[in-house]
Amino acid sequence: MIRIDAAWLATTPLDMRAGTDTALARVVAVFGAAHPHHAYVFANQRANRIKILVHDGVGVWLAARRLHQGKFVWTAPGSPNIALEHAQLHALVLGLPWQRVGSQGAITVV
């Protein structure tokens, strides 16, 4: 199992033809560096496909997922990159509305 300590959502679209080197170059350009045990999530323009780049401390892993129907819930291009909680990352990969999961979806007493 690959350890992921932090996950980051990139808001700018990525061409899904991009391989490991291109995705890694985008991570360095957008986030400054690819940190060990961090995952970086990108979507295509239509938000029906995602790629996740993970630096495991030794090398990099690139995973892809696509939805046959619907879209991944994504932020508007141009908005700042977002740190995701583990539960939010799992919900995003499943195609669920990740903004409602984790501490941001908590109900509190006013």
Side-chain angles (χ1 to χ4, degrees):
M1 180 179 227
I2 301 171
R3 185 178 107 202
I4 298 174
D5 294 336
W8 300 93
L9 182 74
T11 56
T12 56
L14 178 70
D15 184 357
M16 289 295 116
R17 296 175 291 179
T20 307
D21 294 333
T22 305
L24 182 59
R26 176 68 69 89
V27 167
V28 171
V30 172
F31 296 98
H35 298 283
H37 308 293
H38 284 214
Y40 303 92
V41 186
F42 296 93
N44 63 342
Q45 187 72 34
R46 289 184 280 171
N48 63 347
R49 296 173 188 231
I50 61 171
K51 282 200 174 183
I52 303 172
L53 184 100
V54 179
H55 178 13
D56 66 357
V58 177
V60 293
W61 296 79
L62 185 64
R65 176 132 164 87
R66 74 174 174 165
L67 295 177
H68 293 287
Q69 292 181 336
K71 295 181 176 187
F72 289 100
V73 179
W74 215 256
T75 60
S79 58
N81 299 317
I82 300 169
L84 296 174
E85 298 175 11
H86 286 286
Q88 290 176 320
L89 177 62
H90 292 299
L92 174 63
V93 170
L94 293 173
L96 299 173
W98 56 270
Q99 293 97 335
R100 299 180 187 175
V101 178
S103 63
Q104 280 143 27
I107 299 173
T108 58
V109 177
V110 181

